[in-house]
Amino acid sequence: MLLKTNAKRGTMGQVQWIHNFVSFGPVRLNVIVYEVDGILIDTGSIRVIQFLQPFFEEVQAEQVVITHSHEDHTGGAAFIQQKYGIPIYMNEKSIAPCKEKATYPLYRKVFWGKRPPFEAKSIKDTFTSRTANWKVIHTPGHAADHLSFLNEQTGQLFSGDLYVHPETKVILREESIPTIIQSIKRVLQYDFKEMFCCHAGYVPNGREAFEQKLRYLENVQGEVLKLHEKGSSVKEIQQHIFPKSYPITKLSFGEWDSKHIITSIIQEAKRG
């Protein structure tokens, strides 16, 4: 069974993007790189660099901002740095790790390739592009270093992996649903309508989509805590709320699993 890759291009107003896909059997992963007003938002993975290189050449970005350090978002950073020499900005938490060789599970290296080391600068609370001012919003939960970017001129929100899907069914082992809930509440404090997600793509009603996701996650949180208080085990709660199994769980040896949704909720409740 071979790994398959492809990509497609798109635009919405001044925003350009390239949507990359990597598939292996029943598992199909995707990631989107955006460019707007001279800003490149994330760099994609090294696995799909053959699709990204023409995109990078055409958009001629002047700087790069990174939503978070996962390899499907930073894999092309070293290539950009070596080829174009433009500055790369990211959360200070991940600058040192990204200078080193990537250390993540084998299946992720198979899908997204081995992220080469690169150097980045610490992003501030705001930055400017050619014609706009941007707000940097700290939105941890999916990753400790996760950031979202709000174009204050257009009201467009670039949300990285904060949204992805209205009804989350599996998460990474290190993710935290309670933290994601707080991050969604944080972005909803800002004035935006359109959203550009690095996996779901362009969402014209971004605010409503986040409000829907927030309601879903809060309902899941409430149900998990109710069952936990009644004495149900994690496995029993999982079978009740998330009875379906997903191919990514087996492929990732459990790094992606619905049970992590449950454990993150219970652990946060124990911390008080």
Side-chain angles (χ1 to χ4, degrees), residues 139-144 162 171-184 217 221 260-269 271:
T139 49
H142 171 68
L162 181 61
I171 62 172
L172 285 164
R173 186 175 287 113
E174 66 266 23
E175 288 191 65
S176 167
I177 292 300
T179 305
I180 290 171
I181 287 173
Q182 293 306 311
S183 290
I184 292 174
L217 291 179
Q221 184 180 47
H260 305 320
I261 296 174
I262 299 160
T263 56
S264 73
I265 292 169
I266 293 173
Q267 287 168 3
E268 180 65 24
R271 284 193 288 265

Side-chain angles (χ1 to χ4, degrees), residues 102-117:
T103 56
Y104 45 84
L106 178 61
Y107 82 94
R108 286 165 58 177
K109 292 178 180 177
V110 170
F111 268 95
W112 297 124
K114 297 179 181 179
R115 175 195 53 76

Side-chain angles (χ1 to χ4, degrees), residues 143-191:
D145 65 339
H146 196 282
L147 304 171
S148 299
F149 307 120
L150 176 65
N151 185 322
E152 295 184 301
Q153 266 57 48
T154 64
Q156 295 168 321
L157 179 71
F158 291 80
S159 58
D161 284 7
L162 181 61
Y163 177 73
V164 181
H165 193 276
E167 297 186 357
T168 302
K169 302 298 184 183
V170 295
I171 62 172
L172 285 164
R173 186 175 287 113
E174 66 266 23
E175 288 191 65
S176 167
I177 292 300
T179 305
I180 290 171
I181 287 173
Q182 293 306 311
S183 290
I184 292 174
K185 289 180 177 179
R186 189 171 299 118
V187 298
L188 287 172
Q189 294 174 1
Y190 294 89
D191 184 19

Side-chain angles (χ1 to χ4, degrees), residues 109-247:
K109 292 178 180 177
V110 170
F111 268 95
W112 297 124
K114 297 179 181 179
R115 175 195 53 76
F118 66 95
E119 295 191 5
K121 299 178 181 181
S122 178
I123 199 165
K124 307 302 181 185
D125 291 334
T126 61
F127 63 90
T128 59
S129 56
R130 292 167 183 161
T131 64
N133 297 315
W134 293 72
K135 177 70 177 176
V136 176
I137 308 170
H138 289 258
T139 49
H142 171 68
D145 65 339
H146 196 282
L147 304 171
S148 299
F149 307 120
L150 176 65
N151 185 322
E152 295 184 301
Q153 266 57 48
T154 64
Q156 295 168 321
L157 179 71
F158 291 80
S159 58
D161 284 7
L162 181 61
Y163 177 73
V164 181
H165 193 276
E167 297 186 357
T168 302
K169 302 298 184 183
V170 295
I171 62 172
L172 285 164
R173 186 175 287 113
E174 66 266 23
E175 288 191 65
S176 167
I177 292 300
T179 305
I180 290 171
I181 287 173
Q182 293 306 311
S183 290
I184 292 174
K185 289 180 177 179
R186 189 171 299 118
V187 298
L188 287 172
Q189 294 174 1
Y190 294 89
D191 184 19
F192 71 94
K193 292 182 180 179
E194 293 180 313
M195 172 177 61
F196 294 84
C197 171
C198 284
H199 295 283
Y202 173 62
V203 183
N205 57 337
R207 173 170 292 277
E208 290 81 4
F210 264 127
E211 289 171 342
Q212 177 186 351
K213 186 178 181 75
L214 178 61
R215 288 191 296 270
Y216 167 79
L217 291 179
E218 288 182 329
N219 287 337
V220 168
Q221 184 180 47
E223 192 168 4
V224 167
L225 293 176
K226 182 172 69 175
L227 291 170
H228 176 64
E229 289 167 3
K230 288 182 177 180
S232 298
S233 67
V234 170
K235 186 174 182 180
E236 288 169 339
I237 297 171
Q238 182 183 24
Q239 290 173 342
H240 179 76
I241 302 177
F242 304 109
K244 184 178 177 180
S245 61
Y246 295 89

Side-chain angles (χ1 to χ4, degrees), residues 5-11 16-22 28 30-34 48 51-52 55 199-202:
T5 60
N6 58 40
K8 62 180 181 180
R9 296 276 295 270
T11 62
Q16 303 181 71
W17 67 76
I18 182 164
H19 196 162
N20 302 281
F21 304 89
V22 180
R28 188 174 192 243
N30 75 308
V31 69
I32 305 171
V33 175
Y34 293 101
V48 292
F51 303 119
L52 292 169
F55 180 77
H199 295 283
Y202 173 62

